[in-house]
Amino acid sequence: MDGVPVLKETTPFRNVALMARRGCAVCGFELAHGNPVFRVFTEAVETKGDAQAGEVGEVVGDVETIRLNRGAVDRDVPMHLSCALYSAQVCPYLSVPTAKLSSGNSHLPDHVRGGAAVFGFENFGLLVSAADGFIDFGTEGLKVAYLGLVKDIPYVNGGDVADLYAAAVVSDSAVIDTSGKRCFWSDSVQDRGERDRAVEAAEWVVGGSAPARVVDFGGVAYKLFHF
């Protein structure tokens, strides 16, 4: 790899590129077809006072909703099990129930993490408005559908999943092909070009004649595309 890895980039543009290549959001290696995909989800409690003292208010997150609906819609892309468990331990927001998002967060400003779980799903796909027919690269526009809940790992602190992570590293070694191309783009011209080509491939699928199922989320019709 040339250049410096852009580890903190989680833009919709990069997420679409990862989906087009079925790249894991953490390690960049392929999410193999036929294996579950994973994400860490939280409750995101709206702060009403001192979060450290437990003065919190309304739960606005979706952990229980996901369990009820056996699926989810999110802005972020999936991971391998070991990568999701790793994130639950090392991410400052995901690893502690009292962690708080900054006031400048574009999605949930000033929200406390609350409860959390690593969820596994049968499959995932990109949701595109059936009316507009194009990928929305806006901050709030990208929608990733997680379909068929198959694994539920609730936790409080990141350390709670340490043993599960160690076991997942072993089991994932049998399903993650590390000899393949890694979707882990840096700031080099070559890597940026490869990322841009991945986005173009996704746009071609959405705008072309690829088969898509029309689904309803929140009363809005979307086309569901798989990669």
Side-chain angles (χ1 to χ4, degrees):
M1 179 189 299
D2 297 323
V4 178
V6 185
L7 300 178
K8 294 184 178 181
E9 182 184 12
T10 57
T11 64
F13 196 78
R14 178 179 182 272
N15 283 347
V16 170
L18 281 167
M19 292 187 71
R21 296 288 187 259
R22 290 187 65 88
C24 170
V26 172
C27 72
F29 289 117
E30 183 184 12
L31 295 160
H33 287 277
N35 291 324
V37 297
F38 297 85
R39 280 286 314 167
V40 185
F41 286 88
T42 70
E43 287 181 338
V45 182
E46 184 177 6
T47 306
K48 297 297 185 183
D50 183 355
Q52 299 297 329
E55 297 175 7
V56 296
E58 180 184 3
V59 174
V60 297
D62 49 10
V63 171
E64 291 304 326
T65 302
I66 292 170
R67 291 187 175 116
L68 178 65
N69 294 335
R70 315 301 294 173
V73 176
D74 194 41
R75 300 179 307 157
D76 295 318
V77 291
M79 316 171 189
H80 301 105
L81 174 58
S82 57
C83 296
L85 292 169
Y86 175 79
S87 297
Q89 295 176 86
V90 303
C91 173
Y93 178 66
L94 298 178
S95 61
V96 183
T98 55
K100 181 181 176 182
L101 294 172
S102 71
S103 58
N105 185 277
S106 62
H107 183 46
L108 292 171
D110 295 319
H111 280 72
V112 177
R113 194 208 76 181
V118 176
F119 288 128
F121 302 89
E122 291 178 350
N123 203 356
F124 72 100
L126 175 65
L127 292 174
V128 175
S129 169
D132 298 333
F134 59 86
I135 300 174
D136 185 349
F137 288 100
T139 302
E140 301 295 332
L142 187 66
K143 290 180 172 59
V144 182
Y146 289 88
L147 311 167
L149 182 65
V150 293
K151 199 171 189 64
D152 183 349
I153 307 173
Y155 71 95
V156 178
N157 296 294
D160 298 343
V161 299
D163 290 343
L164 292 174
Y165 167 68
V169 169
V170 175
S171 61
D172 273 354
S173 66
V175 298
I176 300 177
D177 181 8
T178 57
S179 67
K181 192 169 184 61
R182 194 178 191 187
C183 298
F184 202 57
W185 300 283
S186 74
D187 61 354
S188 74
V189 174
Q190 179 179 351
D191 276 354
R192 289 294 180 177
E194 291 183 1
R195 186 202 63 180
D196 292 349
R197 285 189 289 276
V199 172
E200 290 172 358
E203 291 180 312
W204 184 87
V205 169
V206 170
S209 58
R213 180 161 56 99
V214 177
V215 296
D216 181 279
F217 283 98
V220 179
Y222 293 94
K223 290 182 178 180
L224 175 63
F225 293 91
H226 296 291
F227 296 92

